[in-house]
Amino acid sequence: MQRRLDIDRVRVLAFGLLVLYHVGMYYVSWDWHVKSPHAGPALEPLMLLTSPWRMSLLFVVSGVATAFLLAKANRGDGRFLGRRSWRLLLPLLFGMYVVVPPQVYYELVEKVPGGFHASYAAFMATYLRGGDFYCAAPGDCVDAPTWNHLWFLAYLWTYTVALWLLLKLAPAAMQSVGGWLGRRLSGPGALLWPMAWLALARLALAGRFESTHDLVDDWYNHAQYLPMFLLGYLLAFSAGFWEALQRHRKVALGIALAGYAVITGVWYFSGYSDEVPPPEGLRMLLRLVWGNNQWCAIAAIFGYAYRLRDVNSPALRYLTPAVFPVYILHQTVIVALAHGAKPLALPPLLEGPLLVVLTFAACFGGYELIRRIPVLRPLFGLRREPTRLPLPDAPPRAG
C-alpha cells in the first residue's frame, strides 16, 4: 500500500498554518490567553482567510490517516484502538499537566486585576489539585487541568472511538455508505454535497451553540468536524473522489476566494460589526457563504496537492514526523515568548515576524531533542522507533 504523500503535504501545511494563526491571535481583538498592547482588528481579515476551514481540513486528513492505519493493522485487530489511544491520550495527558500549564499561568499574570503574584510552583500546586481555582467573577473561572490548544487530540480520539464502534457494530453498513459516497462524490458532487452539509450545519447550529472546545455541549463543532473525519475515512481509497477534487480544483479555489471576499467585505468594509450587526437575512447568507468557503478551500487544497501524490523530498520526510511534537509545543512557546517580549516594547511589524521565526525555531529545536530521547517520543505522539517515509514507487503523474 503506497503512502499518500499529498496527504502528508497537506498535514504539514495545515499545522504550519495553525502556528501562524496562533501568533496572529496575539494581535487581534478576539479573546486569547495573552494579548498584545497593540491588539486590534487590523489583522483580522487575514486571519479569516483560514479561520473557516483550517481545523476541518485537519479532521479530513486525520480521517484519511485513520483509514490507512486501519488497513495496515487489519480491521479485525482489536489492538488498533489501544494503540491509537496510547498515541493520542498519552500526549494529551502529558500536555495537560506539563505543556499547557505555562499558558494558564501567563494568562493569569496578564489578566487578573491587580496582578497574579503567586510563584509558578505555587500555581502548579493549585493547578494539580484540579477544579476551579481562580474566579474573576461568577462563571468566569480558570479550570484545571485544561487542554487549551490540545482539544484537537481529545476530539480526534473521541471520533476514532466512534468510528471503531461503527466498524464493529455495522461493518456492512459502513462499507455500503463508503461505496455510496464514493459514487456520489466522484463528480461535481465532490464539491456540492460537502458544501451543502457544512452550510446547513452553520445555518442550523452556529447561532445556538458557541464554540467551546470542551467536548460537551459543542454541537456545532461536532456537526462539522465529525462528518469531515468520517468523510476522510470513508473516501480515503476512493480514486474517483480525489480525482474529482483535482479536476474541480480551480472552481473550488474561485468559490473559496469569492466567499472570503464576501465575508471580509461585510464584516470589515461595510460598517457592520459585533456592535452593529448585519440584518438577520444577511447574517444567514453569510453562514451559507461560510460553509461554501469552508469546503471549497479544503477541496482546492486537496485538489492541488493530489497532483504531487507521488513526489517525495527530504524536506517532506523530515517535516512529516515533526508535525505532532511541533503542534504540542507551539502554543506554549508563543505565549511564553509573547509575554517575555512585552518589556522590549517592539513595534508589531518587527515583533510579529520575530515571534513566528522564534516559535518555529524553538519548536523544531524541541523536536530535535524529543526524537533523540526514547522516553520522550511517546509523550509527543512519536513511535518509540523512528520510521522513514518511503521513496516513491513511480514518477509523478500529471493531470
Side-chain angles (χ1 to χ4, degrees):
M1 182 170 51
Q2 186 172 340
R3 189 179 182 99
R4 287 283 301 274
L5 298 175
D6 56 318
I7 300 300
D8 288 333
R9 277 187 168 79
V10 172
R11 186 168 178 259
V12 169
L13 169 69
F15 279 105
L17 289 174
L18 194 62
V19 175
L20 297 178
Y21 187 88
H22 284 149
V23 172
M25 286 296 294
Y26 180 58
Y27 293 101
V28 295
S29 64
W30 309 332
D31 185 45
W32 204 55
H33 309 288
V34 294
K35 301 301 297 183
S36 167
H38 305 285
L43 198 60
E44 289 170 12
L46 185 60
M47 298 282 281
L48 281 174
L49 188 61
T50 64
S51 187
W53 51 263
R54 58 190 174 82
M55 295 310 303
S56 297
L57 175 66
L58 280 174
F59 279 107
V60 179
V61 168
S62 298
V64 175
T66 302
F68 274 78
L69 289 171
L70 272 168
K72 187 176 180 180
N74 185 342
R75 289 183 186 178
D77 185 355
R79 295 173 295 176
F80 168 80
L81 188 59
R83 288 194 296 264
R84 199 65 179 142
S85 297
W86 176 261
R87 190 92 184 271
L88 295 174
L89 294 184
L90 182 62
L92 176 61
L93 291 173
F94 176 77
M96 290 171 66
Y97 286 99
V98 178
V99 178
V100 168
Q103 299 178 34
V104 182
Y105 179 74
Y106 286 125
E107 183 172 6
L108 290 174
V109 168
E110 294 206 1
K111 292 184 177 180
V112 170
F116 183 77
H117 304 293
S119 68
Y120 190 75
F123 157 79
M124 280 302 298
T126 307
Y127 182 91
L128 293 174
R129 287 201 296 269
D132 296 338
F133 69 100
Y134 176 81
C135 294
D140 183 15
C141 299
V142 174
D143 298 323
T146 185
W147 49 49
N148 281 10
H149 69 294
L150 301 181
W151 66 267
F152 173 74
L153 299 182
Y155 281 52
L156 180 54
W157 179 79
T158 302
Y159 298 163
T160 302
V161 172
L163 171 62
W164 185 81
L165 289 173
L166 287 171
L167 292 173
K168 287 294 182 183
L169 297 175
M174 288 291 286
Q175 186 173 3
S176 296
V177 169
W180 183 86
L181 281 175
R183 293 188 295 274
R184 296 299 181 275
L185 275 67
S186 61
L191 298 185
L192 296 176
W193 292 114
M195 279 169 51
W197 176 268
L198 291 170
L200 180 62
R202 190 159 183 87
L203 274 172
L205 299 174
R208 299 176 58 193
F209 297 100
E210 183 181 357
S211 178
T212 65
H213 296 153
D214 65 1
L215 197 61
V216 179
D217 199 30
D218 199 17
W219 297 111
Y220 170 58
N221 279 336
H222 290 313
Q224 54 180 330
Y225 297 149
L226 177 58
M228 291 296 98
F229 174 76
L230 293 175
L231 184 73
Y233 170 80
L234 290 167
L235 298 180
F237 301 106
S238 173
F241 171 68
W242 299 104
E243 290 167 1
L245 294 183
Q246 180 180 249
R247 286 195 306 273
H248 299 300
R249 64 191 184 280
K250 295 179 181 178
V251 173
L253 180 60
I255 295 173
L257 291 175
Y260 168 71
V262 171
I263 292 168
T264 54
V266 170
W267 281 112
Y268 291 97
F269 302 102
S270 63
Y272 293 117
S273 64
D274 290 337
E275 292 73 28
V276 185
E280 189 64 16
L282 180 55
R283 185 182 288 271
M284 294 299 105
L285 177 62
L286 286 174
R287 290 177 181 170
L288 283 173
V289 171
W290 182 285
N292 293 342
N293 168 274
Q294 185 175 3
W295 176 251
C296 283
I298 293 171
I301 290 169
F302 280 129
Y304 280 99
Y306 192 65
R307 296 164 62 86
L308 303 173
R309 59 194 176 276
D310 299 319
V311 180
N312 210 335
S313 71
L316 184 63
R317 289 194 292 273
Y318 176 79
L319 292 172
T320 297
V323 161
F324 211 177
V326 169
Y327 157 67
I328 291 171
L329 292 170
H330 82 277
Q331 186 160 290
T332 296
V333 172
I334 293 169
V335 169
L337 288 175
H339 178 80
K342 280 190 174 179
L344 302 177
L346 298 174
L349 289 178
L350 173 61
E351 183 187 58
L354 191 59
L355 274 178
V356 171
V357 171
L358 291 177
T359 296
F360 277 115
C363 290
F364 279 104
Y367 168 63
E368 286 298 323
L369 178 67
I370 291 161
R371 75 189 185 113
R372 286 170 166 80
I373 302 177
V375 71
L376 291 180
R377 291 179 63 89
L379 299 177
F380 289 88
L382 299 177
R383 295 181 178 88
R384 287 196 176 274
E385 295 297 327
T387 56
R388 289 183 175 272
L389 292 187
L391 292 172
D393 296 328
R397 287 171 282 181

